[in-house]
Amino acid sequence: MYENIDKSLYTPMMRQYLTIKESYPDALVFFRLGDFYEMFFNDALVASRELEIVLTKRDAGTSNEPVPMCGVPHHAVENYIEKLSNKGYKIAIVDQMEEASNKKIVTREVTKVITPGTNINEHYLTDKTNNYLASIDKNDSGFIFAYCDLSTGDTFITNLNKYLDNLYNEINKLNIKEVVITSNVPKIVKEYLTNVLHILTTSITVEKLDNYLEVLYQDIDANLIPCANILLNYLIQTQKRTLIHLKKFKEYSINEFLKLDYNTVRNLELLSPLRNNDSRKSLFGILDSCNTAMGSRFLKRSILYPLTNKKQIDERHNIVEQLLKNYLLLPDLKNTLMEIYDLERIVGRISYGTLSPKDLLQLNRSLI
């Protein structure tokens, strides 16, 4: 659409916007103009409707009709981004890279792309729930599936063989917010994800990664590496920064755990009840007496992936037994855990450079 617009008919500033928009056709472009982020053309129509803000028009400086426009204050932009992320939209943030001058057009660049699967704003996230972005690859052995919680740095990868049911079950069970694919994934898969599961799905071209990222997948099966590359490529392309907090991919097999499909998880009310959204009335809500957000997220994953290996089950039981035998230590242990904040997400914000004074105080208390 935007590539067919004759840019010569517009002002230099509007030409700058259109050039950037061509590179991000599937995103709502938040274009920084002074103290506001502005949206134009169809982006303005969508944003004004979804955010319930006033739609106006801007004179483009030519004989053309004024273009649709809406805007939000830069100091409150996170609130608007959160609303759009919850609705499944992708947002490209365009910032001014130099001070405004009367002599020339200010240089502007996309500084990050925020999507439902990559939004790490603490107002968007839930302490006890992971926010997963996934990637899918297809090879001779079947479907490879990888996913990551960018806020904690956790990454997982598995071979799901040729059964689409396994793929869809993992996506549903984990409440995946966004999926990245390449051209070798069958079209029917993308259509199902988009039209049936209503998940934001993006196709990308894989490029060579920086060397520092190779350590993340050096311990996994070679057949899985292309899928890991898809996920990492998308993270780098959208976040436009060095992500030092990402952890090594954990390779697993669904055969290592009791198989629970989405309907089983839902009907057994493992994570949420059938009749309302009060998670306290689910199995997870009843069991969750964890004193840290990290513990709650681990408990939720343990419920979704029950162990079947007797040795691992015995090891877990032995840990519980030791705690029961040393019950006099439990009060001190609980009190200590209550002083430990969400270190995984604090480290994530350090990696992003979005650390707040509150985060530093919590990090200090946790380390002590």
Side-chain angles (χ1 to χ4, degrees):
M1 174 184 175
Y2 289 92
E3 61 270 17
N4 296 324
I5 294 177
D6 186 352
K7 299 187 193 65
S8 65
L9 300 177
Y10 293 91
T11 62
M13 189 276 292
M14 193 58 68
R15 290 201 297 269
Q16 185 185 49
Y17 167 83
L18 289 169
T19 300
I20 293 173
K21 180 62 184 178
E22 284 180 5
S23 301
Y24 297 89
D26 60 343
L28 299 176
V29 173
F30 277 44
F31 194 77
R32 181 72 180 266
L33 286 173
D35 291 333
F36 284 81
Y37 282 102
E38 306 284 5
M39 287 140 279
F40 303 102
F41 297 98
N42 190 62
D43 284 7
L45 299 176
V46 173
S48 65
R49 182 185 70 244
E50 298 290 3
L51 298 175
E52 299 180 353
I53 57 179
V54 176
L55 179 68
T56 61
K57 292 185 178 181
R58 182 186 181 93
D59 186 355
T62 69
S63 58
N64 289 297
E65 290 289 323
V67 300
M69 181 190 80
C70 68
V72 299
H74 79 92
H75 60 80
V77 70
E78 295 294 348
N79 296 327
Y80 296 102
I81 290 173
E82 179 185 351
K83 290 180 181 178
L84 292 171
S85 289
N86 283 325
K87 292 175 180 285
Y89 287 98
K90 185 182 296 186
I91 303 102
I93 303 296
V94 179
D95 283 314
Q96 298 177 175
M97 308 308 291
E98 59 184 353
E99 292 294 327
S101 169
N102 294 326
K103 298 180 180 179
K104 62 176 182 176
I105 293 294
V106 175
T107 301
R108 294 180 176 86
E109 295 178 5
V110 174
T111 54
K112 63 180 174 179
V113 180
I114 301 169
T115 69
T118 62
N119 193 345
I120 68 163
N121 188 292
E122 57 185 320
H123 300 297
Y124 175 77
L125 301 173
T126 303
D127 287 346
K128 299 183 179 184
T129 302
N130 288 102
N131 185 50
Y132 286 128
L133 164 76
S135 63
I136 301 172
D137 188 30
K138 178 77 164 60
N139 59 27
D140 293 339
S141 67
F143 291 98
I144 311 302
F145 180 64
Y147 53 98
C148 169
D149 183 342
L150 189 57
S151 69
T152 66
D154 288 318
T155 54
F156 302 89
I157 195 164
T158 183
N159 187 336
L160 296 175
N161 300 319
K162 298 181 180 180
Y163 300 105
L164 276 173
D165 284 348
N166 288 338
L167 176 64
Y168 297 148
N169 279 332
E170 288 294 283
I171 290 171
N172 273 317
K173 187 167 68 174
L174 293 164
N175 192 26
I176 299 294
K177 296 292 182 65
E178 182 180 2
V179 175
V180 189
I181 61 174
T182 55
S183 57
N184 61 338
V185 174
K187 184 179 178 182
I188 189 174
V189 173
K190 181 175 182 179
E191 291 177 345
Y192 186 85
L193 295 175
T194 303
N195 301 326
V196 179
L197 299 184
H198 305 294
I199 295 174
L200 177 64
T201 306
T202 305
S203 299
I204 68 165
T205 301
V206 176
E207 301 173 356
K208 190 179 186 312
L209 292 168
D210 290 337
N211 293 335
Y212 82 93
L213 292 167
E214 292 180 0
V215 68
L216 299 179
Y217 53 76
Q218 65 182 11
D219 296 332
I220 65 176
D221 187 283
N223 291 322
L224 307 183
I225 292 177
C227 189
N229 269 327
I230 295 170
L231 189 61
L232 294 174
N233 259 270
Y234 186 70
L235 290 175
I236 296 301
Q237 290 174 23
T238 56
Q239 304 311 296
K240 300 181 181 296
R241 67 187 67 232
T242 302
L243 300 172
I244 59 173
H245 72 297
L246 293 179
K247 304 172 189 175
K248 289 185 177 182
F249 279 91
K250 296 178 183 176
E251 182 181 346
Y252 72 97
S253 168
I254 58 172
N255 296 324
E256 298 172 12
F257 308 98
L258 182 67
K259 185 176 180 181
L260 298 175
D261 62 23
Y262 173 72
N263 288 325
T264 302
V265 172
R266 181 175 181 274
N267 291 323
L268 290 180
E269 301 181 299
L270 298 185
L271 302 184
S272 60
L274 288 171
R275 290 181 174 81
N276 57 57
N277 293 322
D278 187 356
S279 62
R280 293 173 298 178
K281 297 179 181 179
S282 65
L283 177 64
F284 169 71
I286 292 170
L287 295 179
D288 183 25
S289 296
C290 299
N291 287 337
T292 69
M294 296 177 288
S296 293
R297 292 195 295 267
F298 177 80
L299 173 63
K300 183 172 286 187
R301 184 172 180 85
S302 299
I303 291 173
L304 289 176
Y305 292 91
L307 297 175
T308 59
N309 182 286
K310 186 176 184 300
K311 181 181 178 182
Q312 292 176 319
I313 294 172
D314 286 341
E315 288 176 352
R316 188 173 285 180
H317 284 174
N318 289 337
I319 294 171
V320 174
E321 183 181 19
Q322 290 301 314
L323 290 171
L324 291 174
K325 286 181 178 178
N326 294 278
Y327 61 91
L328 293 177
L329 296 178
L330 286 181
D332 289 340
L333 178 58
K334 289 181 178 180
N335 289 333
T336 300
L337 287 172
M338 290 178 69
E339 295 294 313
I340 298 177
Y341 293 85
D342 198 341
L343 291 174
E344 291 177 331
R345 286 183 170 164
I346 290 175
V347 170
R349 290 193 285 274
I350 291 174
S351 179
Y352 265 75
T354 58
L355 203 65
S356 68
K358 182 185 73 172
D359 289 327
L360 288 172
L361 289 172
Q362 292 180 349
L363 178 61
N364 179 57
R365 292 184 67 178
S366 300
L367 291 175
I368 290 173

